[in-house]
C-alpha cells in the first residue's frame, strides 16, 4: 500500500481548498496549507499519471505455498 | 398357483418371492406425491412417506442419492421421484427406494436456491446494513476468477483503459464443476489474508444455471459475506442472479461493469485535482488581495492622528462627564448620610452627661475667677511698691529735689558738659516745676 493513500490525499486536499476559500485563516497559515495542498496535488497527479501496468498472479508452488508473480495481459495463461 | 399351493413356504421364502415379483414388475417407476413424516437420522438416509389424497407409500432416499439433491426435503413438498419398489424383508413392508427426486412444478436448483436464500436472509446475511462502501479510489484490486474465458480479459482491459497505473492481483480458480466452490472459498480467504487489497472482484462469464451453480452454494455465499475486503460480484450475464450477488457489497451485471465500478477514471480525478489546485491558487490570491486592501485602508486611516485624537478627546470628555455625575451622586449620598447621622446623634445626645459637665464647668469657672482675683490683688500691691521705688529713682524726683536738666535749643540735646555749648547759645533748663530759657554767658569747663 502506498505511504499516503490517494483517497486520503484527495480528502485532505479538498479540506485545504475549502479552508482557503473560507478565507478566515491568517496569511502565514494560509500559505502553509497552500504549500501542503500543492504538494498533495502533485502526489495525486503522480499516482494518476502512473501508466505502468501491474498485474500479478497468485500462484501455488509445489509445497502448497502461494506467492505473487507478474502477469502480462497478453500472457498465454489467459488462454488456458 | 398350484405350484405355490402344493408346498408350504417359510415366511422368508414367501417374502423373498414377493420381493422378486415386485422388483421385476416395478423396476423403475416415476411417481408423484407429497412428502410427509420425513425423518433424517444420523445415517444421512432420508425416510418419509409419499402420499396423495387416498393412498400412501413408504419411501427411502439413501445418503448417496440424497447428496445429489441440491435442495432440502421437507414435509408437504410435492415431488416427482424416480425409483424402484422393493420389500424391506425384516418387516415385510414394501417401499420405494428412490434414486432421484425433484420438486414438482419448479426446478430442483430453483428450489434449492429459494430455500438457501430464505435461510440466509433470515440470518441477516444479505442485510443492506452489512454492505460496505467501495473505496472511491482503490490502488490495488483483487480478482478471483478463471484465467480461461473472456471475463478476466474484459476486466483487465476495462481497468487499464480507465487507469493504467492500477495494481491488480489475480487469484485463478475453477468457476464450475466439482470442487470449484471449495477453491473459490479458499481464494477469497487467501486474498483477504494478503492484506493489500482495497477491493475484490469475484467474477465469472456467462453460462447456464448449472454452470453458475457454485455461486449459489452456501460456503461460497458465506465466504463473500464474511470477507473483510469489500467484494463486487460479477457472475454471468445481467439476467443471472446468484446468492453470491446478494451477499456481495455490490453486484455488477457483468465482469466489465465490475471493472468500471471498481476502477475510477484517472482523467476524471486528474481534472478534479487540477480544479482543486486552481481553486487553491485563486483563494490564496484573493486572500493576499484582501490583505493588501486592508493595509491600504489602514494607511489611509493613519495620516490623520488629529481625528484619532479627537475621538479620544471626545471619549475623555464623555468619561469626565460621567465621573462628575458619579461624584455628585456620591456627594449627595454622603450628604444625606451625614444628615442622617446628625439626626441620630441629636436624638441620642447625652443629657445627664451634659448637665454634669455644665456643673463642673460652672464650678471651675468660679474657682478660676477667685484664683485670678487673688492673683491680681497680689500683683497690684507688688506693682504699687515697685511704682513707689520707681518714683524715688525718677529724674522728676531729682528735679524736685533741686537738680535741673539742660537741653540745647532748638534741638533739645541733653547738655552734660559745658563744652557742649557755645557762648550766646540758648538753652532750656528744666526745674522741679517749670523751666527756664537761658542764654549762655560763659562756658567754663572744669579742669
Amino acid at each position: 500500500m502506498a505511504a499516503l493513500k490517494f483517497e486520503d490525499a484527495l480528502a485532505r486536499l479538498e479540506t485545504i481548498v475549502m479552508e482557503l476559500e473560507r478565507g478566515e485563516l491568517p496569511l502565514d497559515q494560509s500559505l502553509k496549507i497552500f504549500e501542503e495542498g500543492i504538494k498533495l496535488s502533485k502526489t495525486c497527479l503522480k499516482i494518476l499519471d502512473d501508466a505502468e501496468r501491474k498485474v500479478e498472479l497468485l500462484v501455488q508452488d509445489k509445497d502448497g505455498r502461494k506467492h505473487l508473480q507478474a502477469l502480462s495481459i497478453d500472457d498465454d495463461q489467459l488462454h488456458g | 398357483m398350484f405350484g405355490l399351493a402344493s408346498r408350504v413356504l417359510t415366511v422368508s421364502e414367501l417374502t423373498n418371492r414377493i420381493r422378486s415379483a415386485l422388483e421385476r414388475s416395478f423396476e423403475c417407476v416415476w411417481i408423484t406425491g407429497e412428502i410427509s413424516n420425513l425423518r433424517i437420522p444420523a445415517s444421512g438416509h432420508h425416510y418419509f412417506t409419499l402420499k396423495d389424497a387416498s393412498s400412501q407409500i413408504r419411501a427411502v432416499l439413501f445418503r448417496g442419492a440424497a447428496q445429489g439433491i441440491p435442495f432440502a426435503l421437507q414435509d408437504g413438498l410435492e415431488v416427482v421421484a424416480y425409483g424402484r419398489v422393493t420389500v424391506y424383508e425384516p418387516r415385510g413392508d414394501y417401499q420405494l427406494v428412490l434414486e432421484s427426486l425433484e420438486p414438482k412444478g419448479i426446478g430442483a436448483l430453483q428450489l434449492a436456491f429459494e430455500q438457501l436464500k430464505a435461510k440466509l436472509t433470515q440470518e441477516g446475511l444479505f442485510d443492506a446494513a452489512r454492505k460496505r462502501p467501495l473505496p472511491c479510489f482503490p490502488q490495488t484490486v483483487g480478482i478471483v476468477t478463471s484465467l480461461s474465458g473472456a471475463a478476466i480479459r474484459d476486466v483487465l482491459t476495462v481497468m487499464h483503459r480507465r487507469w493504467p497505473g492500477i495494481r491488480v492481483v489475480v487469484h485463478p480458480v475453477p468457476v464450475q464443476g466439482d470442487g470449484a466452490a471449495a477453491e473459490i472459498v479458499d481464494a477469497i480467504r487467501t486474498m483477504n489474508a494478503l492484506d493489500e487489497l482495497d477491493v475484490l472482484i469475484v467474477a465469472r462469464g456467462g453460462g447456464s444455471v448449472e454452470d453458475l451453480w457454485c455461486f449459489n452454494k452456501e460456503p461460497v455465499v458465506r465466504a463473500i459475506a464474511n470477507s473483510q475486503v469489500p467484494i463486487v460480484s460479477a457472475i454471468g450475464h445481467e439476467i443471472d442472479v446468484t446468492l453470491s450477488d446478494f451477499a456481495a457489497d455490490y453486484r455488477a451485471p457483468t465482469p466489465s461493469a465490475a471493472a468500471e465500478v471498481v476502477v475510477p477514471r484517472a482523467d476524471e480525478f486528474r481534472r478534479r485535482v487540477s480544479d482543486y489546485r486552481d481553486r487553491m491558487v485563486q483563494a490564496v490570491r484573493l486572500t493576499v488581495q484582501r490583505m493588501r486592501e486592508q493595509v491600504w485602508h489602514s494607511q489611509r486611516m493613519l495620516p490623520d492622528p488629529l481625528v484619532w485624537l479627537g475621538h479620544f478627546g471626545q471619549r475623555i470628555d464623555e468619561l469626565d462627564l460621567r465621573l462628575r455625575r458619579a461624584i455628585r451622586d456620591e456627594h449627595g449620598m454622603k450628604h444625606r448620610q451625614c444628615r442622617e447621622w446628625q439626626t441620630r446623634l441629636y436624638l441620642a445626645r447625652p443629657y445627664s452627661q451634659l448637665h454634669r459637665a455644665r456643673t463642673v464647668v460652672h464650678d471651675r469657672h468660679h474657682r478660676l475667677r477667685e484664683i485670678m482675683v487673688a492673683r491680681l490683688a497680689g500683683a497690684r500691691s507688688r506693682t504699687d511698691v515697685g511704682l513707689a521705688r520707681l518714683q524715688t529713682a525718677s529724674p522728676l524726683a531729682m528735679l524736685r529735689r533741686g537738680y535741673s536738666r539742660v537741653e540745647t535749643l532748638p534741638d533739645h540735646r541733653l547738655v552734660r558738659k559745658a563744652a557742649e555749648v557755645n557762648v550766646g547759645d540758648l538753652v532750656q533748663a528744666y526745674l522741679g516745676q517749670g523751666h527756664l530759657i537761658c542764654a549762655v554767658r560763659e562756658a567754663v569747663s572744669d579742669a
Side-chain angles (χ1 to χ4, degrees):
Chain A
M1 244 175 256
L4 180 61
K5 296 204 68 165
F6 183 89
E7 273 180 278
D8 298 337
L10 195 71
R12 173 74 187 132
L13 183 58
E14 204 170 331
T15 311
I16 287 174
V17 170
M18 290 195 294
E19 193 67 51
L20 286 175
E21 285 180 338
R22 204 171 296 130
E24 285 166 4
L25 286 179
L27 191 59
D28 58 341
Q29 195 99 23
S30 294
L31 290 177
K32 211 174 119 196
I33 64 167
F34 174 72
E35 275 174 1
E36 188 194 344
I38 292 294
K39 255 183 223 154
L40 283 170
S41 69
K42 277 184 186 157
T43 308
C44 288
L45 288 175
K46 191 162 165 278
I47 292 172
L48 289 169
D49 291 337
D50 183 3
E52 188 197 341
R53 293 184 175 187
K54 287 161 289 192
V55 182
E56 287 158 88
L57 197 64
L58 246 182
V59 293
Q60 197 162 9
D61 56 25
K62 289 188 187 90
D63 35 322
R65 287 228 301 271
K66 291 177 175 175
H67 59 91
L68 291 169
Q69 146 189 323
L71 172 80
S72 157
I73 195 166
D74 300 318
D75 206 292
D76 288 343
Q77 292 169 94
L78 291 180
H79 305 289
Chain B
M1 292 297 270
F2 280 108
L4 283 177
S6 65
R7 179 172 171 261
V8 177
L9 297 172
T10 65
V11 173
S12 296
E13 282 170 337
L14 179 59
T15 304
N16 192 269
R17 287 192 184 188
I18 292 171
R19 185 170 71 91
S20 299
L22 279 175
E23 283 180 355
R24 266 201 307 279
S25 308
F26 304 101
E27 203 171 348
C28 48
V29 291
W30 287 94
I31 180 172
T32 181
E34 182 192 320
I35 293 174
S36 66
N37 299 322
L38 174 68
R39 281 189 310 118
I40 309 168
S43 63
H45 306 317
H46 290 44
Y47 300 99
F48 52 95
T49 303
L50 279 179
K51 63 175 188 182
D52 59 17
S54 53
S55 299
Q56 60 180 38
I57 184 171
R58 286 179 187 279
V60 60
L61 185 70
F62 289 119
R63 191 174 62 183
Q67 278 171 347
I69 291 170
F71 59 93
L73 301 192
Q74 59 197 55
D75 283 341
L77 188 70
E78 289 279 348
V79 293
V80 177
Y82 169 80
R84 60 193 163 86
V85 178
T86 186
V87 173
Y88 180 55
E89 294 182 27
R91 279 218 300 268
D93 286 346
Y94 69 91
Q95 63 180 14
L96 280 162
V97 174
L98 300 176
E99 300 292 327
S100 72
L101 191 135
E102 289 209 357
K104 195 177 174 189
I106 181 177
L109 294 181
Q110 183 64 28
L111 181 65
F113 180 94
E114 296 299 343
Q115 283 175 339
L116 185 57
K117 184 181 165 193
K119 177 181 159 190
L120 297 182
T121 302
Q122 177 88 29
E123 269 184 44
L125 215 66
F126 304 144
D127 284 359
R130 281 182 58 106
K131 312 277 182 211
R132 284 146 306 172
L134 302 182
C136 88
F137 200 98
Q139 279 159 277
T140 304
V141 176
I143 307 174
V144 171
T145 192
S146 164
L147 288 186
S148 57
I152 182 68
R153 294 185 62 85
D154 291 350
V155 168
L156 289 177
T157 305
V158 172
M159 281 182 171
H160 286 135
R161 192 178 65 222
R162 293 173 75 84
W163 181 32
I166 189 151
R167 179 173 169 236
V168 184
V169 176
V170 183
H171 192 306
V173 286
V175 287
Q176 69 187 73
D178 294 340
E183 291 215 33
I184 293 166
V185 169
D186 184 56
I188 291 170
R189 208 175 46 229
T190 305
M191 291 296 244
N192 268 281
L194 276 183
D195 200 25
E196 289 176 49
L197 305 181
D198 297 317
V199 61
L200 180 59
I201 296 174
V202 176
R204 193 208 187 282
S208 68
V209 173
E210 288 75 14
D211 286 343
L212 306 181
W213 189 249
C214 64
F215 293 98
N216 285 321
K217 287 194 171 168
E218 190 167 343
V220 174
V221 179
R222 285 191 186 280
I224 288 174
N226 294 330
S227 169
Q228 293 301 303
V229 179
I231 288 188
V232 173
S233 69
I235 295 150
H237 297 298
E238 186 156 10
I239 51 159
D240 302 315
V241 178
T242 65
L243 293 180
S244 289
D245 291 319
F246 286 114
D249 296 292
Y250 185 89
R251 184 215 169 206
T254 63
S256 300
E260 282 180 12
V261 162
V262 163
V263 179
R265 287 177 61 124
D267 53 357
E268 271 174 21
F269 276 87
R270 205 175 284 122
R271 217 168 15 244
R272 201 159 131 192
V273 171
S274 300
D275 179 53
Y276 282 154
R277 206 170 179 160
D278 293 347
R279 280 167 63 185
M280 277 195 300
V281 171
Q282 181 66 13
V284 167
R285 202 171 274 159
L286 263 174
T287 304
V288 170
Q289 177 71 21
R290 201 165 46 239
M291 298 277 169
R292 188 170 289 144
E293 275 164 16
Q294 271 176 15
V295 170
W296 262 2
H297 192 65
S298 305
Q299 272 176 344
R300 251 184 298 146
M301 291 297 287
L302 217 51
D304 200 355
L306 285 179
V307 174
W308 194 58
L309 279 175
H311 285 310
F312 269 109
Q314 201 176 342
R315 174 109 183 98
I316 287 167
D317 286 346
E318 190 188 308
L319 286 174
D320 183 53
L321 191 72
R322 280 173 57 188
L323 188 64
R324 277 167 198 280
R325 197 174 295 147
I327 288 171
R328 202 175 60 219
D329 289 352
E330 177 84 351
H331 185 73
M333 205 175 70
K334 286 268 162 70
H335 196 73
R336 273 198 303 280
Q337 264 177 0
C338 193
R339 271 220 299 269
E340 193 186 313
W341 281 113
Q342 235 173 15
T343 308
R344 286 172 65 183
L345 194 62
Y346 180 76
L347 289 175
R349 70 191 185 275
Y351 280 112
S352 58
Q353 277 175 0
L354 266 178
H355 185 70
R356 206 158 46 234
R358 196 174 285 147
T359 314
V360 168
V361 169
H362 200 70
D363 188 46
R364 294 272 156 88
H365 180 77
H366 275 289
R367 279 179 61 194
L368 194 59
R369 230 180 122 106
E370 279 162 18
I371 288 165
M372 287 310 289
V373 166
R375 281 202 183 164
L376 278 173
R380 189 167 291 145
S381 66
R382 273 198 307 280
T383 309
D384 289 348
V385 172
L387 274 175
R389 283 167 62 185
L390 196 61
Q391 272 171 356
T392 319
S394 156
L396 292 177
M398 294 283 284
L399 292 177
R400 269 196 299 272
R401 280 202 302 271
Y403 295 95
S404 60
R405 186 165 56 104
V406 178
E407 289 177 6
T408 61
L409 284 176
D411 48 354
H412 290 289
R413 278 188 292 115
L414 190 65
V415 179
R416 284 191 186 84
K417 290 175 183 172
E420 288 172 356
V421 294
N422 298 313
V423 174
D425 286 351
L426 288 179
V427 293
Q428 189 167 13
Y430 291 92
L431 306 174
Q433 211 168 11
H435 63 271
L436 303 170
I437 307 292
C438 310
V440 178
R441 285 245 183 113
E442 198 178 348
V444 181
S445 295
D446 293 337

